[in-house]
Amino acid sequence: MKSLGNPYDGDVDLRHGLACNCSDCADDAGHRMKAVSARDQRTRMSTDDMLDRAVESAIVRSMFGHNELSRRSFAKMLGGTTLAAALASVLPIDKVKAAILDEIGTPEKTDLSVGFVPITCATPIIMAEPLGFYQRYGLNVEVVKTAGWAVARDKSLNGEYDASHMLTPMPLAITLGAGSTATPFLMPAVENINGQAIVLHNDHRDKHEDVSTWRGLTFGVPFEYSMHNFLLRYYVAEAGLDPDRDIQIRVVPPPEMVANLRAGNIDGFLSPDPFNQRAVWEEIGFIHILTKDIWEGHPCCAFACSQAFAETYPNTYGNLLKAIIDATQYASDSANRSEIAEAIAPTNYLNQPVPVIEQVLTGRFADGLGNVRDEPNRIDFDPFPWHSMGVWILTQMKRWGYIEGDIDYAAVAEQVYLAADCGKVMADLGLEVPAETYKSHVIMGKTFDPAEPEAYVESFAIRRT
Amino acid sequence: MTRSYDFRALALTIVILIVALGAWELSTNTEILPGAGEMTEYERLMGGGSQNAGVPAPSAVMQKAWEELSDPFHNTGANDKGIGIQIAYSLMRVLTGYALAAIIALPVGFLIGMSPLMFRALDPFIQVLRPISPLAWMPLALFIIQDSEASSIFVIFICSIWPMLLNTAFGVASVRKDWVNVARTHELGPVKTAFQVILPAAAPTIVTGMRISIGIAWLVIVAAEMLVGGTGIGYYVWNEWNNLDLTSVIFSILMIGVVGMALDAAFGRLQRAVTYTE
């Protein structure tokens, strides 16, 4: 929204900070009203104008280091037209605009349907619609809200969705035929890293310090083939609890987590945001640990499509991927987070109060225990699908008995996680591409070497193999 | 006499409504919140308790209803459509599934009502399939039909078929034998007998079955749409629950009730039209 405001106008604020106290931001309703009117305004701009405006805005704001105050005072001092001319003299804005548009051929199919589950992990996929990233690459994408992961899987398998927001383990599981018929799926980009948390009910505050006291509790995770499930299992197993015997793990769709926690149906959950923050906001639970403190930089959600889609419409696939990676990169800049929170909060997308989303995206949040915490990495966005992350997920699927027998970890990870496609698009967009696709990860102090997956599985005392 | 009786019933209904709404309103009185300026940052990040989900007062629900009903057909994207559009989607699914069920249930019901042999032969299938919850079919339907829209229509189909089938069979089977014999003495053909004697005689029972079916179909579509999402009144409820917005949830529950009542009233009217006295 705000990126479409006139960047040369000193009276326009291009973003709303957390502490913004303009009358519109005083309450939630005002925020929504504002989002709606901004949307109306946007529909009156043509797609081309919008695109130009988005690019100009990004350039101008980056010129000022995303500092709104200096941009505005500068614009007021010089006047908008002079500022525009001054910038054009040092920066070929028209060329920048053109460069973003070419490279991949024209899409074969422009009307696309992309599914998402309403959680903040889907931020790049969702925001690409209101902020015009899809249009920038000549695509008319409708993002469709999906009730849960099983439905997202089924609608992707039957072709109702051209591509979809998925959990990083899902394309691996679908390709292997675990929990569905084996269909080759591709995951060319990760959406977010970190971005989850373990929340406990307020009644269990006494269990905050010592995880071994969790024996007998019931936890919700959103899906079996999810980082949530694997991280929760890993976390309790490190404390000496067997996740299959000492605690109960139940699959609960993300939106139902908070209601179930309130009803006492579950004692806690490891779920995606905004539901962790929502549980705090509703004064039902507290944040026990952010998953970034279990594994800093762990993958969470992904952008995935069937191999058939990518092969039938290669240009569409390329442009879609480019739009997604571009949006992911935009979301990773913390200066853009407040604007994004406002863009994705309305009913059409996450349907959540703006302050809740803002706390998740900016990382300055109330933890439900009386503290205001500052964790800028609470959620981050990084598209690169490391093969080593795929191998780690497979080791955990093996560890807990989701897959059996011998498995060629690297081959499966490389077939599904298309690091090369992602790298190419990242290079096109002028981003830095990692030279390797494997690296070792440190999870709760223990180093995972992707070259020795089998030994890693065997190294755990609690396992199903 | 009847007029004053009607009037007294109506007056009593209104009194009960006012008392119930009044008790509801009083039991949900909201406390005055401290001004934003006096809150610490922690309190502000916790929302100052303003969102603490309690049951909303009826006045809040009415206000919500007014907002929603004053713009029932707004359409601001795939995931944000007005209540009118959502109900239209649900009705379309219900009526499609229901019509398909009627096309199959009425002739088959007729057949097994006329032929005790067929009834005995098909009875085990009906008895096994009938008690299966319609939603239990959903995963299988999604897998086989591979289309969520068609799957939800299938679920409506499978739940509305049984009452129609069994009531039709029962109605046809219990047509008085004298009437069929009279038809036979008049040398009416089997088709003429079916349409001119049996159908009118069994019509009240058949329409009763149809009325039960439409009620069940409307119950089931809400659950089916909550499961599959996308559009429809069930999706609307799910989406509001997703936001834990109880006011909207109560409003949509009332809307579901009103539409269900309208459907039932339509079949009640049809039922009166085909009733006869012997």
Side-chain angles (χ1 to χ4, degrees):
Chain A
M1 314 284 162
K2 295 293 165 201
S3 66
L4 300 178
N6 183 357
Y8 305 121
D9 187 344
D11 290 325
V12 171
D13 189 347
L14 294 180
R15 67 200 178 90
H16 287 246
L18 193 61
C20 175
N21 46 17
C22 74
S23 60
D24 284 325
C25 292
D27 59 13
D28 181 33
H31 252 300
R32 286 179 180 227
M33 291 291 290
K34 187 135 192 155
V36 169
S37 65
R39 189 161 50 207
D40 289 343
Q41 198 179 15
R42 188 162 51 81
T43 46
R44 285 200 294 274
M45 283 170 94
S46 77
T47 316
D48 285 348
D49 290 348
M50 218 152 71
L51 231 160
D52 286 357
R53 181 51 70 74
V55 175
E56 278 171 25
S57 174
I59 293 169
V60 174
R61 280 194 287 166
S62 66
M63 290 285 290
F64 291 95
H66 293 280
N67 184 329
E68 272 298 284
L69 276 181
S70 61
R71 181 191 66 79
R72 287 171 67 175
S73 56
F74 201 79
K76 278 188 174 166
M77 205 162 67
L78 285 182
T81 336
T82 325
L83 173 62
L87 282 182
S89 66
V90 292
L91 231 171
I93 286 186
D94 288 337
K95 277 190 188 157
V96 174
K97 282 182 199 164
I100 289 174
L101 289 170
D102 53 35
E103 299 288 348
I104 302 164
T106 340
E108 301 88 350
K109 179 182 177 189
T110 50
D111 289 339
L112 300 175
S113 175
V114 174
F116 74 95
V117 172
I119 54 179
T120 41
C121 305
T123 296
I125 293 177
I126 302 171
M127 62 171 253
E129 184 181 282
L131 299 184
F133 283 86
Y134 293 126
Q135 290 99 313
R136 185 179 298 180
Y137 299 97
L139 298 171
N140 177 25
V141 172
E142 188 173 59
V143 292
V144 186
K145 204 183 283 188
T146 312
W149 297 110
V151 178
R153 177 197 62 204
D154 291 343
K155 287 192 170 184
S156 300
L157 283 171
N158 69 29
E160 275 181 67
Y161 292 157
D162 296 292
S164 177
H165 165 213
M166 282 193 180
L167 297 158
T168 38
M170 282 172 70
L172 294 168
I174 296 174
T175 303
L176 289 171
S180 68
T181 40
T183 311
F185 253 68
L186 305 178
M187 196 192 96
V190 168
E191 284 306 299
N192 68 309
I193 55 175
N194 302 337
Q196 310 163 18
I198 298 180
V199 167
L200 290 179
H201 194 283
N202 279 337
D203 291 350
H204 300 302
R205 283 192 185 204
D206 55 325
K207 302 191 177 69
H208 177 48
E209 296 299 328
D210 185 4
V211 179
S212 61
T213 59
W214 290 10
R215 206 175 293 271
L217 298 190
T218 303
F219 287 87
V221 295
F223 198 63
E224 293 234 298
Y225 301 97
S226 67
M227 286 304 289
H228 314 82
N229 186 19
F230 299 144
L231 287 174
L232 178 64
R233 283 167 174 272
Y234 191 102
Y235 184 69
V236 297
E238 288 297 293
L241 297 181
D242 186 322
D244 288 316
R245 291 173 196 144
D246 297 330
I247 62 167
Q248 203 186 354
I249 298 180
R250 249 184 239 167
V251 172
V252 182
E256 294 168 29
M257 294 270 188
V258 178
N260 270 297
L261 192 69
R262 190 203 305 276
N265 215 9
I266 49 177
D267 300 298
F269 53 71
L270 198 159
S271 90
D273 268 312
F275 295 99
N276 303 312
Q277 197 59 47
R278 191 69 201 254
V280 173
W281 177 258
E282 300 283 335
E283 297 180 8
I284 302 166
F286 64 91
I287 292 176
H288 166 72
I289 188 172
L290 297 175
T291 49
K292 81 170 187 58
D293 297 327
I294 298 175
W295 172 1
E296 172 65 78
H298 72 79
C300 177
C301 283
F303 169 75
C305 67
S306 69
Q307 193 172 323
F309 171 74
E311 283 170 1
T312 319
Y313 308 109
N315 291 347
T316 307
Y317 164 76
N319 281 292
L320 185 57
L321 183 56
K322 206 166 175 183
I324 295 280
I325 291 176
D326 199 359
T328 308
Q329 202 58 32
Y330 186 77
S332 76
D333 185 342
S334 54
N336 300 328
R337 298 280 178 84
S338 291
E339 168 203 345
I340 293 168
E342 197 189 342
I344 64 176
T347 319
N348 202 12
Y349 306 113
L350 294 184
N351 194 19
Q352 292 282 343
V354 177
V356 171
I357 310 245
E358 237 169 20
Q359 289 186 61
V360 172
L361 292 184
T362 60
R364 186 166 178 79
F365 62 94
D367 66 355
L369 290 166
N371 313 310
V372 175
R373 289 174 59 182
D374 229 333
E375 307 274 2
N377 290 341
R378 174 174 179 170
I379 187 169
D380 205 347
F381 302 91
D382 184 349
F384 197 69
W386 290 89
H387 287 143
S388 45
M389 288 175 171
V391 172
W392 185 85
I393 290 168
L394 291 168
T395 63
Q396 298 305 301
M397 285 167 73
K398 181 85 183 271
R399 178 184 181 189
W400 303 116
Y402 289 100
I403 46 174
E404 283 167 357
D406 287 335
I407 166 171
D408 189 341
Y409 295 92
V412 176
E414 284 168 29
Q415 181 197 337
V416 179
Y417 283 23
L418 299 185
D421 284 23
C422 185
K424 184 185 170 300
V425 173
M426 284 171 79
D428 280 357
L429 291 171
L431 306 172
E432 199 181 325
V433 186
E436 302 280 321
T437 63
Y438 288 90
K439 63 177 175 184
S440 58
H441 304 281
V442 178
I443 301 142
M444 294 183 80
K446 181 171 167 137
T447 306
F448 161 63
D449 177 4
E452 298 290 340
E454 206 60 50
Y456 183 70
V457 174
E458 297 300 319
S459 72
F460 294 104
I462 303 175
R463 61 173 195 272
R464 295 284 89 80
T465 54
Chain B
M1 164 67 195
T2 33
R3 174 165 264 195
S4 81
Y5 190 72
D6 283 350
F7 176 76
R8 273 156 54 204
L10 181 68
L12 200 56
T13 305
I14 292 171
V15 169
I16 293 173
L17 180 73
I18 292 172
V19 170
L21 288 182
W24 178 8
E25 181 83 45
L26 286 177
S27 66
T28 55
N29 62 343
T30 44
E31 41 192 302
I32 311 297
L33 296 162
E38 303 155 29
M39 283 194 282
T40 64
E41 185 183 15
Y42 183 76
E43 283 167 344
R44 197 169 51 74
L45 291 177
M46 294 292 285
S50 60
Q51 72 299 327
N52 267 358
V55 177
S59 51
V61 176
M62 279 182 233
Q63 197 187 344
K64 179 78 194 172
W66 176 252
E67 277 167 30
E68 290 289 333
L69 293 175
S70 57
D71 187 15
F73 297 106
H74 74 264
N75 187 352
T76 42
N79 311 304
D80 183 16
K81 296 185 186 349
I83 186 91
I85 298 181
Q86 306 286 18
I87 288 176
Y89 270 108
S90 297
L91 276 176
M92 188 198 67
R93 287 188 191 118
V94 162
L95 295 179
T96 312
Y98 182 80
L100 290 172
I103 289 170
I104 292 182
L106 298 182
V108 174
F110 230 87
L111 179 73
I112 62 180
M114 303 274 278
S115 152
L117 178 71
M118 284 304 287
F119 183 76
R120 287 285 288 277
L122 290 178
D123 194 45
F125 298 107
I126 297 174
Q127 294 311 327
V128 169
L129 295 175
R130 193 170 59 103
I132 298 174
S133 160
L135 290 179
W137 291 101
M138 193 51 117
L140 188 66
L142 275 173
F143 187 83
I144 294 176
I145 303 175
Q146 305 239 319
D147 182 287
S148 56
E149 185 70 29
S151 298
S152 43
I153 291 173
F154 168 78
V155 166
I156 295 305
F157 165 82
I158 203 81
C159 75
S160 28
I161 199 164
W162 309 115
M164 276 198 267
L165 184 74
L166 292 173
N167 269 49
T168 307
F170 175 72
V172 169
S174 50
V175 170
R176 283 170 59 180
K177 290 288 167 286
D178 309 356
W179 299 350
V180 182
N181 289 338
V182 169
R184 197 168 293 157
T185 54
H186 282 268
E187 295 186 343
L188 284 180
V191 176
K192 269 198 163 176
T193 313
F195 277 96
Q196 293 187 349
V197 180
I198 298 177
L199 185 63
T205 327
I206 295 176
V207 173
T208 305
M210 294 175 78
R211 190 175 175 180
I212 298 171
S213 280
I214 197 83
I216 296 178
W218 186 246
L219 286 181
V220 167
I221 193 67
V222 174
E225 285 169 347
M226 280 179 111
L227 209 61
V228 177
T231 46
I233 185 76
Y235 165 80
Y236 182 92
V237 176
W238 177 82
N239 197 26
E240 295 306 333
W241 184 25
N242 167 31
N243 187 21
L244 302 172
D245 184 347
L246 222 54
T247 315
S248 291
V249 169
I250 293 175
F251 162 67
S252 38
I253 288 174
L254 290 176
M255 289 307 292
I256 293 169
V258 168
V259 175
M261 185 177 76
L263 286 174
D264 191 66
F267 277 85
R269 209 159 253 248
L270 182 62
Q271 206 171 18
R272 275 202 296 284
V274 296
T275 311
Y276 56 88
T277 45
E278 284 185 31

